[in-house]
Amino acid sequence: MGACLGVCSVLSCASCLCGSAPCLLCGCCPSTKNSTITRLSFTLFLFLGTIVSIIMIIPGVEAELHKLPGFCEGGDSFLGNQGKVDCKAFLGHKSVYRMCFATAAFFFLFALMMICVRSSKDPRAMIQNGFWFFKFLILIGITVGAFYIPNGAFTSVWFYFGVVGSFLFILIQLILLIDFAHSWSQIWLRNADEGSSKSWYAALFIFTILFYAVSIASVVLLYVYYTKPDDCALNKGLISVNLILCVVVSVVSVLPKIQPHSGLLQASIITLYTMFVTWSALANVPNKYCNPTLLVRTEGNSTAVVSGGEPTQWWDAPSIVGLVIFILCTFFISIRSSDHAQVNKMMLTEESPAMLGGGAPSAEEGGYRAYDNEEDGVTYSYSFFHFCLLLASLYIMMTLTNWYRPDDHLKKLTSPWTAVWVKISSSWVGLLLYVWTLVAPIVLPDRDFS
């Protein structure tokens, strides 16, 4: 009897993997929207690729990658194929590039397939919301193929794809932060007005002061650790410019004409994020004198020992913080309610009747099932969602490798100036984008910016 129940359970799981929604997820939460479950499932695919990449770059695991058949030059063959990857140098770095190439290619494939899907009645929507087992097999197949890409110029070329994708994803992170801060502020202000309680205002004030205090402390630490009294003029200039821009943005956010659309809470969060991006950029400055956190890694897949005799760590603090922000923002993209006008505009969707009415099954109908809420119109752009995950794949690739690249002789990983200027320019574009969200209702009064 127990064996029969076990077989039935396995068959039930198999049907979930091939059905219209992954029941393994929706069984944990009542009356879940099909669109939300689908986004969470694709995000889990991305997180799975991220975990594999993290494991591959760990020194102990990195050494074991030499044993992959048909992967390394001069190694064991696989089905008669000889490996074409030089495993003598930076094997973990190359493995992360190939793993993230696989996830990026996977989401690029779905971004192309889902262009112009308008509702769940489109046959392609069935592919988007189901067949998870086969999607997993496709991802595994692309991953296996990526590990047999010839060494050649792959790493150098894919580095620039990562730079562009990371730049765009940093801007997406900023947009999500702006929306999150705005929603946070509006909810607490609404609670204060409805409850006639001053505690909500006090809480907003405390968090705003806290964010600004952390930002000021960050500026002080950046000046202490990344500048010298007699040198490092560029570092001083970058910190000062971003500090001035953050002050300007904060002043603009409290102007009388701007105030109805913003507040200091948003500005404080944007300021703190800008300081993080500045810190991350300075950590890539290829000058050991002005950048004490600069990592040194030479051929042989082991961290090099610097002059002080201490081995450097392959992951630095900005990369760890960036990884945490990446996880939070990617998860936010997946679970964010799409019935807000600002999010709809950002995700290239429109408010559809499916989001206005019910549609949730009652308890009698089975309350623990995903229900289709997109029969009259999709609640998010399928194609743009996959494009965001593609950019996230490129961003995590650059984050896990610290934006480093091999030098011309493939003897040492170096931090290029490209990484510094891409991060700094993204902070400037992000601040400009935030200022535009403040002044747009005034400059274009006839348009709806609700």
Side-chain angles (χ1 to χ4, degrees):
M1 183 66 180
C4 293
L5 291 176
V7 171
C8 293
S9 177
V10 171
L11 293 176
S12 175
C13 291
S15 66
C16 285
L17 290 172
C18 301
S20 61
C23 309
L24 298 178
L25 282 178
C26 64
C28 301
C29 41
S31 303
T32 312
K33 296 178 181 178
N34 205 28
S35 58
T36 303
I37 288 293
T38 296
R39 283 179 287 179
L40 281 173
S41 301
F42 276 114
T43 303
L44 289 179
F45 277 21
L46 175 62
F47 287 167
L48 177 62
T50 301
I51 293 173
V52 173
S53 299
I54 292 173
I55 294 174
M56 286 180 172
I57 208 170
I58 296 174
V61 177
E62 183 179 3
E64 296 297 319
L65 293 176
H66 291 80
K67 301 177 182 179
L68 283 177
F71 181 47
C72 298
E73 291 179 347
D76 297 333
S77 63
F78 178 70
L79 298 179
N81 296 319
Q82 189 64 38
K84 299 181 179 180
V85 177
D86 179 11
C87 296
K88 297 179 181 178
F90 320 123
L91 181 55
H93 184 278
K94 296 173 182 177
S95 300
V96 170
Y97 267 51
R98 282 162 169 76
M99 185 67 237
C100 293
F101 170 82
T103 55
F106 175 79
F107 292 120
F108 178 72
L109 173 65
F110 277 90
L112 291 180
M113 289 176 57
M114 299 302 159
I115 292 177
C116 296
V117 174
R118 302 301 183 188
S119 71
S120 60
K121 297 176 182 178
D122 191 309
R124 291 174 295 171
M126 185 181 299
I127 300 176
Q128 169 77 2
N129 298 319
F131 302 102
W132 296 100
F133 177 72
F134 299 105
K135 290 175 184 175
F136 184 66
L137 291 181
I138 291 173
L139 179 58
I140 292 178
I142 297 176
T143 302
V144 172
F147 273 82
Y148 293 96
I149 297 176
N151 208 38
F154 171 77
T155 302
S156 300
V157 173
W158 196 240
F159 170 82
Y160 289 104
F161 277 92
V163 166
V164 175
S166 299
F167 175 85
L168 296 175
F169 190 73
I170 290 174
L171 296 183
I172 290 178
Q173 286 181 333
L174 184 66
I175 293 173
L176 293 173
L177 284 174
I178 293 173
D179 179 70
F180 170 75
H182 178 76
S183 300
W184 181 5
S185 178
Q186 293 300 313
I187 290 173
W188 281 19
L189 289 175
R190 189 183 308 117
N191 291 341
D193 293 337
E194 294 175 355
S196 300
S197 174
K198 301 297 182 182
S199 60
W200 293 106
Y201 293 109
L204 279 175
F205 176 77
I206 291 173
F207 275 98
T208 301
I209 294 298
L210 175 63
F211 291 143
Y212 273 121
V214 175
S215 300
I216 294 172
S218 301
V219 172
V220 173
L221 292 175
L222 291 178
Y223 276 117
V224 170
Y225 287 99
Y226 292 95
T227 65
K228 302 293 182 182
D230 58 338
D231 201 357
C232 310
L234 179 61
N235 289 13
K236 295 175 184 176
L238 294 178
I239 298 171
S240 301
V241 168
N242 276 8
L243 175 60
I244 293 172
L245 291 177
C246 288
V247 171
V248 171
V249 165
S250 299
V251 172
V252 171
S253 67
V254 294
L255 293 177
K257 291 187 178 180
I258 300 294
Q259 188 62 37
H261 308 284
S262 180
L264 277 178
L265 179 64
Q266 275 182 284
S268 66
I269 293 178
I270 300 306
T271 297
L272 183 58
Y273 183 73
T274 301
M275 290 300 106
F276 160 71
V277 175
T278 306
W279 174 35
S280 180
L282 295 177
N284 278 111
V285 172
N287 182 343
K288 189 64 179 179
Y289 181 67
C290 298
N291 177 15
T293 61
L294 183 67
L295 302 177
V296 179
R297 202 175 190 206
T298 57
E299 182 181 15
N301 297 305
S302 61
T303 16
V305 177
V306 294
S307 57
E310 294 290 334
T312 61
Q313 298 299 319
W314 178 228
W315 275 8
D316 56 3
S319 297
I320 296 175
V321 176
L323 180 62
V324 173
I325 295 176
F326 153 79
I327 293 174
L328 294 177
C329 287
T330 308
F331 190 66
F332 186 70
I333 292 175
S334 302
I335 66 173
R336 186 69 169 90
S337 174
S338 58
D339 56 358
H340 290 74
Q342 291 181 346
V343 180
N344 289 332
K345 292 176 182 177
M346 183 194 70
M347 300 300 290
L348 303 180
T349 60
E350 296 179 357
E351 191 172 42
S352 67
M355 292 180 285
L356 301 178
S362 62
E364 292 77 7
E365 296 173 344
Y368 290 87
R369 296 184 59 85
Y371 63 93
D372 186 2
N373 61 320
E374 298 181 309
E375 291 183 350
D376 298 320
V378 296
T379 60
Y380 66 101
S381 170
Y382 291 177
S383 195
F384 186 73
F385 173 72
H386 289 297
F387 180 69
C388 288
L389 295 187
L390 185 158
L391 298 180
S393 301
L394 297 176
Y395 175 80
I396 200 61
M397 178 185 77
M398 302 304 291
T399 300
L400 293 180
T401 57
N402 296 97
W403 294 66
Y404 284 28
R405 59 177 302 185
D407 60 6
D408 295 334
H409 304 289
L410 299 178
K411 298 295 183 182
K412 184 172 65 174
L413 284 177
T414 59
S415 177
W417 279 105
T418 305
V420 178
W421 288 112
V422 166
K423 293 180 180 181
I424 288 295
S425 59
S426 67
S427 69
W428 293 341
V429 174
L431 288 172
L432 182 63
L433 182 63
Y434 174 60
V435 171
W436 172 249
T437 64
L438 299 180
V439 302
I442 300 174
V443 176
L444 303 172
D446 296 331
R447 296 190 62 180
D448 179 20
F449 290 96
S450 59

